[in-house]
Amino acid sequence: MALIDTSLLSFGEALSAAIGWTYFVAWSVSFYPQIILNYRRKSVEGLSIDFLVYNLYGFACYALFNTAFFFSRSIGDEYERRNNGHKNLVRFNDLFFSYHALILCLITLAQSFYYKRGPTQQASQTARMFFYSTLGGLVAVFLFSTVYSAVYFLSFIKLGCSLVKYIPQAWLNYRRKSTVGWSIHNIILDFTGGVLSFAQLILDAVRSGNITEALGNPVKFGMGLTSIAFDVMFLVQHYVLYTDRFDPSDLETQLQYQSNLNYGSTENSDAGSV
């Protein structure tokens, strides 16, 4: 019986590891299509600047959160004390993914300064308020509470970014009635990663014998559910609602749609978005 249990345990560990690295690959690769698309078009028109700001800020917080939980013994011990002896579920692939994502977010944001964009494509007042208010909150928690609380506050900033970052892009697509400039391959890969991340979290919690442990890592749990919901929305926008693929930054489509060269302009469509 012990042999069977050991075999099942080994299989569960192997399956969890395989799922973890698969979603790591899917999520990691998902950043590249947008970078490539921006490079090919030499333009970021159609891409929300608010989305880029939220993404960069969120992954900076996520990288710091994972670093603290992965390397700090005191943080790990505190987590175990607060969660009935259960170890935290931050793995090496989480750490590697967060820093990889942070670098690619920096590259994408840098493209928005280098390539063509609409005159009103800039970070909204809402995004700036979110940044300053949450950063101020982090400083306050660090000064008046414990380091553990400050680290956990980083996770909630990341979760907040994940909850709101797609809204400006979805609104931009709606106003333009177009998804031109927004890579659908990014969404397909992100959707795959979200499903697998959520599956791994539940699998690990079931294997540990404590299903509530799945809530012990609110970043992974929230990211998985949020990504799935928004990705479905973007897939509907791209494949159902806005199927015209005219791109004014692409010479081939300009020749195809000579009668409608201004379609898909982002002017006056990004500033002020949430």
Side-chain angles (χ1 to χ4, degrees):
M1 185 66 179
L3 179 61
I4 296 177
D5 291 343
T6 303
S7 299
L8 290 175
L9 179 63
S10 299
F11 174 76
E13 291 176 346
L15 180 61
S16 176
I19 293 175
W21 283 106
T22 302
Y23 90 68
F24 158 74
V25 171
W27 264 352
S28 297
V29 174
S30 72
F31 292 89
Y32 289 95
Q34 188 64 58
I35 293 175
I36 294 171
L37 180 63
N38 295 342
Y39 171 78
R40 180 180 63 79
R41 299 173 70 233
K42 300 296 187 292
S43 170
V44 293
E45 289 187 294
L47 182 60
S48 169
I49 304 302
D50 279 4
F51 167 76
L52 300 181
V53 171
Y54 287 130
N55 223 19
L56 178 61
Y57 182 37
F59 277 111
C61 292
Y62 189 39
L64 292 174
F65 171 84
N66 283 335
T67 299
F69 268 85
F70 192 81
F71 289 108
S72 174
R73 181 62 182 270
S74 61
I75 295 293
D77 291 344
E78 181 67 19
Y79 179 89
E80 291 184 36
R81 283 194 294 270
R82 298 189 181 202
N83 292 274
N84 300 318
H86 294 282
K87 295 184 180 298
N88 77 84
L89 298 179
V90 173
R91 299 175 179 275
F92 177 74
N93 55 290
D94 296 312
L95 183 70
F96 196 92
F97 163 75
S98 60
Y99 277 98
H100 177 263
L102 178 59
I103 292 171
L104 295 180
C105 286
L106 279 169
I107 293 174
T108 310
L109 184 63
Q111 287 182 317
S112 72
F113 292 99
Y114 183 74
Y115 293 137
K116 177 186 176 183
R117 67 179 182 180
T120 60
Q121 272 186 285
Q122 58 185 341
S124 69
Q125 191 65 29
T126 302
R128 296 174 186 177
M129 289 176 59
F130 179 89
F131 173 77
Y132 290 122
S133 61
T134 54
L135 190 61
L138 176 62
V139 172
V141 172
F142 183 79
L143 292 176
F144 300 107
S145 188
T146 64
V147 174
Y148 180 86
S149 298
V151 170
Y152 237 82
F153 193 82
L154 286 170
S155 75
F156 287 109
I157 294 178
K158 169 55 184 168
L159 181 57
C161 289
S162 295
L163 290 172
V164 303
K165 70 178 183 179
Y166 289 117
I167 297 176
Q169 187 64 54
W171 179 248
L172 181 60
N173 293 345
Y174 168 76
R175 293 191 63 176
R176 296 170 64 234
K177 299 297 185 289
S178 171
T179 57
V180 168
W182 174 243
S183 175
I184 194 60
H185 300 100
N186 162 28
I187 297 306
I188 294 172
L189 289 165
D190 191 62
F191 177 78
T192 302
V195 171
L196 292 176
S197 173
F198 185 71
Q200 186 201 47
L201 195 63
I202 296 300
L203 174 62
D204 286 348
V206 171
R207 287 177 51 242
S208 72
N210 180 18
I211 191 63
T212 60
E213 190 173 337
L215 299 177
N217 189 337
V219 179
K220 283 183 69 175
F221 189 84
M223 283 172 60
L225 289 181
T226 304
S227 294
I228 292 171
F230 276 103
D231 288 340
V232 169
M233 179 190 302
F234 285 121
L235 289 170
V236 171
Q237 283 186 326
H238 186 80
Y239 290 111
V240 179
L241 300 178
Y242 316 129
T243 57
D244 196 323
R245 301 290 181 261
F246 171 73
D247 185 353
S249 297
D250 189 312
L251 179 59
E252 291 184 10
T253 56
Q254 287 188 38
L255 294 176
Q256 269 187 309
Y257 298 90
Q258 292 182 26
S259 62
N260 193 19
L261 293 181
N262 291 322
Y263 185 90
S265 173
T266 59
E267 187 165 350
N268 298 323
S269 59
D270 194 26
S273 62
V274 176

